[in-house]
Amino acid sequence: MEQVKTLGEFIIDRQQDFPGSSGEFSRLLSAIRLASKIVSQQVNKAGLLSHIVGAAGSDNIQGEAQQKLDVYANDQFIKALAARKVVCGIASEENDAYIPINEEGSYIVAMDPLDGSSNIDVNVSIGTIFSIYRRVSPVGGPLSDADFLQKGTEQLAAGYVIYGSSTMLVYTTGNGVNGFTFDPGIGVFLLSHPNMQFPNNGKIYSMNEGNFYRSSKGVQEFIKYAQTVDPETNRPYTARYIGSLVADFHRNLIKGGIYMYPSTDTAPNGKLRLLYECNPLAFIAEQAGGSASDGKNRIMEIDPTDLHQRVPYFVGNSALVDKAEQCIKTNG
Ligand code: P6P
């Protein structure tokens, strides 16, 4: 029987993927592993720990009420990453500006420490999303905006943690996508989903259809296409929307499907943030044989202009993303 592999062993095995790295990158991934375990423990108790659950009484840059668990998760990831000395700066959904960490560090981390916050109090899966870049400014010197405003194609690694019926960490370093399930009994992540790939034919579409009439004609046409009865093309598709990006993305990665958060008349750039939500999941999607678009362009080719900029988002099976792009191209 094949030996079960822990995330720690996997990181060491794959260290040769980073020629020249003196194990710095492995230490960075290990920090994310540690913080994920700490956050997982609190998320799983959220229903019991009244002092954790519920609004923290402050708002983040998006003007969204910060849940205490958001703030807790943000603190844990920042602490764990800072302790490893290899990170020079962090961009987080919870912080207006980027956080300088250590000028001697070589790596930049962009993260959404706890996405899907609105689901915290109703016991629905939530997640952490992260993206890792090499800094562009000289090591030892001050950080610059350019260190953070890099295209998604420059990512060294990206991943997410889903705190659901079990806690899983899924990540890529550009050599495929691998998923690890946390075993709380022994406190380790075990390789459970090696070489994750989208199934060939996806038939799930995930969108807040309350935005149907606020969306473009093209998006409306795609939804109608998905709902049309046509057994030859395996339609109607199935509508599944949890309202937690990581959970919807993870289910669609395993079962096949598309997640959409298009622009609407009230949110012309959509809702999701390019740097720490769309780019990391786009990297994973492409490594798993799928694609990610803003409805017209490849997400990872977009030149960022702001830490918290939003973009319309279509991610999942390439055939479904292509179909959505075609509907938008044809109908506007
Ligand atoms: P809506 C959660 O706040 C989030 O950023 C994603 O996790 C989720 O997919 C989306 O927003 C839900 O937004 O407008 O459908 O409630």
Side-chain angles (χ1 to χ4, degrees), residues 275-311:
L275 250 60
Y276 41 77
E277 291 172 331
C278 300
N279 266 333
L281 296 184
F283 192 11
I284 289 184
E286 292 194 4
Q287 285 288 311
S291 49
S293 154
D294 65 359
K296 298 186 177 70
N297 311 295
R298 182 185 178 209
I299 282 289
M300 294 211 291
E301 288 290 354
I302 296 175
D303 252 327
T305 53
D306 178 80
L307 284 188
H308 302 285
Q309 82 184 76
R310 301 173 194 265
V311 289

Side-chain angles (χ1 to χ4, degrees), residues 113-131:
L114 208 60
D115 178 80
S117 334
S118 55
N119 292 305
I120 290 174
D121 292 349
V122 293
N123 206 13
V124 165
S125 299
I126 50 184
T128 297
I129 311 171
F130 64 89
S131 195

Side-chain angles (χ1 to χ4, degrees), residues 224-235:
K224 289 179 202 164
Y225 171 84
Q227 295 171 341
T228 301
V229 179
D230 178 14
E232 274 186 25
T233 55
N234 218 2
R235 288 180 288 155

Side-chain angles (χ1 to χ4, degrees), residues 64 93 112 114-119 127 129 207-209 211 241-248 259-261 271-273 277 310:
E64 295 162 347
E93 183 193 45
D112 183 352
L114 208 60
D115 178 80
S117 334
S118 55
N119 292 305
I129 311 171
M207 174 179 148
N208 181 342
E209 292 188 60
N211 291 327
Y241 190 68
I242 299 171
S244 185
L245 169 61
V246 172
D248 280 315
Y259 170 97
M260 304 181 287
Y261 209 106
K271 176 179 185 182
L272 301 183
R273 273 70 66 155
E277 291 172 331
R310 301 173 194 265

